[in-house]
Amino acid sequence: MRRPLIAGNWKMNKLIPEAVEWVAGIQERLPGLPDAEIVLAPPFTHLAVLKLRLENDSLIKLAGQNMFWEPQGAFTGEISGAMLKSAGCEYVILGHSERRLFFHEDDAAINKKILSAQSSELKIILCVGETLEQRNGGQTEDVVKSQLQGALEGIEVDDDLVVAYEPVWAIGTGLTATPEQAQESHAFIRSILGSILTPEDSLKIRILYGGSVTPDNSRDLLGRPDIDGALVGGASLAVEKFCAIIASLN
Ligand code: 13P
C-alpha cells in the first residue's frame, strides 16, 4: 500500500514568524487527522528555524523547493543538497514548472539535480506536467513522458522517488484538472515508470497531483486509484485549508 503524501509548497510566501505560527497550528490539529506523510516546503530561509520547532515531531517533514547540483563552491545565490539536508530537509522538490519557466531549467539540469540530491540522501519530489497549449495540441502524454525520461535518465530509481503531476495550466489558476483527467495522466505516468523500473515496482511509487487543489476538490481527486496525494500551493498557506485537504483522505 502506498502511504498518502500531502505536501505544501509555499513558494515565495510567508515570513518566518508566520511560518512558525503555521507550524504550531498544524501540530495542534494533525493528531486528529487521517494518517499521511506530511511534507512542508517553505522558503530556504525558514528551514532551520522550522526544524528546531519540529525537532520532536516525526509527523511533519521538511523539503527544499529547489537546489543546485554542485556540492559547494562559487555559485552565488545557490544552495546545495547537503545544505538542505543539514537544515533538516528530508525531501527536495525538483523540476517545478515555475523553475522550468522562470529559471529556464531543462530536463538535463533536473537530471543533474536529481543525481546530486540522491548523493545528499534527499528524497525527490519530481514535478512534471504540460502547458495548456500542449494539452490542447494533444501532446500531454509525449510531454510528460519526455520529462520523466529526461529527468530520470541514468538514475537509479527506487520507491523513495515521488512524482508530482502538475499541469501548468492548473497551477494557481483555479482551473483544476478534473479527477478523470488527473487519473488518466497519473495512470500514464505509472505506466512510464513501469517501463523505466518494472510494472511491479512502479506500483510502489507515489504520484501526487498538484494544481489548484483546495478542500473543495481534494476528496474527489484523492479518491482516484493512482492519485496518492497532493502537492498544494496556495491552499497550503492557510493551515485550516491544508488540514481540510488532509482530512479529505478519509
Ligand atoms: P497551486 O495549488 O497554488 O495551484 O500551486 C500548485 C503548485 O504549484 C504546487 O507545487
Side-chain angles (χ1 to χ4, degrees):
M1 262 309 279
R2 299 184 293 266
R3 186 175 180 213
L5 193 164
I6 307 289
N9 175 12
W10 283 357
K11 310 188 180 185
M12 199 172 76
N13 289 294
K14 284 196 193 292
L15 301 180
I16 291 173
E18 299 167 302
V20 168
E21 198 181 314
W22 188 99
V23 163
I26 198 171
Q27 280 179 313
E28 213 169 277
R29 291 167 175 83
L30 217 47
L33 293 173
D35 176 66
E37 191 171 2
I38 306 299
V39 176
L40 174 65
F44 294 141
T45 45
H46 303 18
L47 286 167
V49 178
L50 296 185
K51 185 62 192 170
L52 287 177
R53 302 277 164 163
L54 294 169
E55 208 67 79
N56 298 314
D57 189 326
S58 55
L59 294 177
I60 304 166
K61 296 168 176 173
L62 292 173
Q65 296 179 13
N66 176 39
M67 57 171 267
F68 191 46
W69 60 74
E70 291 290 348
Q72 75 270 309
F75 303 103
T76 301
E78 293 295 327
I79 186 162
S80 72
M83 289 172 186
L84 290 180
K85 189 82 184 172
S86 76
C89 289
E90 183 168 328
Y91 282 90
V92 59
I93 298 173
L94 293 175
H96 193 281
S97 63
E98 287 149 18
R99 300 293 321 167
R100 296 177 192 258
L101 178 66
F102 299 127
F103 303 97
H104 313 294
E105 285 190 17
D106 58 14
D107 293 325
I110 295 159
N111 179 265
K112 285 199 258 186
K113 292 185 177 197
I114 292 176
L115 206 58
S116 175
Q118 282 186 330
S119 70
S120 297
E121 296 180 349
L122 288 165
K123 296 176 186 169
I124 292 133
I125 300 176
L126 167 63
C127 302
V128 297
E130 79 289 359
T131 62
L132 189 56
E133 201 179 16
Q134 290 163 335
R135 174 162 282 264
N136 290 341
Q139 296 168 286
T140 298
E141 294 196 346
D142 286 347
V143 169
V144 166
K145 181 177 176 183
S146 79
Q147 287 176 336
L148 281 171
Q149 289 179 335
L152 296 175
E153 196 182 337
I155 304 280
E156 230 174 274
V157 179
D158 60 26
D159 52 13
D160 276 344
L161 176 75
V162 177
V163 175
Y165 171 61
E166 298 207 310
V168 179
W169 50 273
I171 295 178
T173 57
L175 288 174
T176 325
T178 64
E180 293 73 23
Q181 283 172 325
Q183 165 58 28
E184 195 183 357
S185 292
H186 281 227
F188 177 72
I189 288 169
R190 200 175 303 286
S191 76
I192 298 302
L193 292 171
S195 65
I196 295 172
L197 300 153
T198 63
E200 198 193 347
D201 284 343
S202 76
L203 296 175
K204 297 180 191 149
I205 296 198
R206 290 173 296 180
I207 306 174
L208 315 182
Y209 171 78
S212 297
V213 176
T214 67
D216 294 331
N217 57 32
S218 53
R219 185 176 299 277
D220 253 5
L221 287 160
L222 294 168
R224 303 289 151 152
D226 286 292
I227 303 184
D228 306 312
L231 180 52
V232 186
S236 74
L237 296 172
V239 94
E240 293 75 18
K241 285 190 187 166
F242 191 64
C243 288
I245 291 169
I246 301 169
S248 67
L249 283 167
N250 251 349

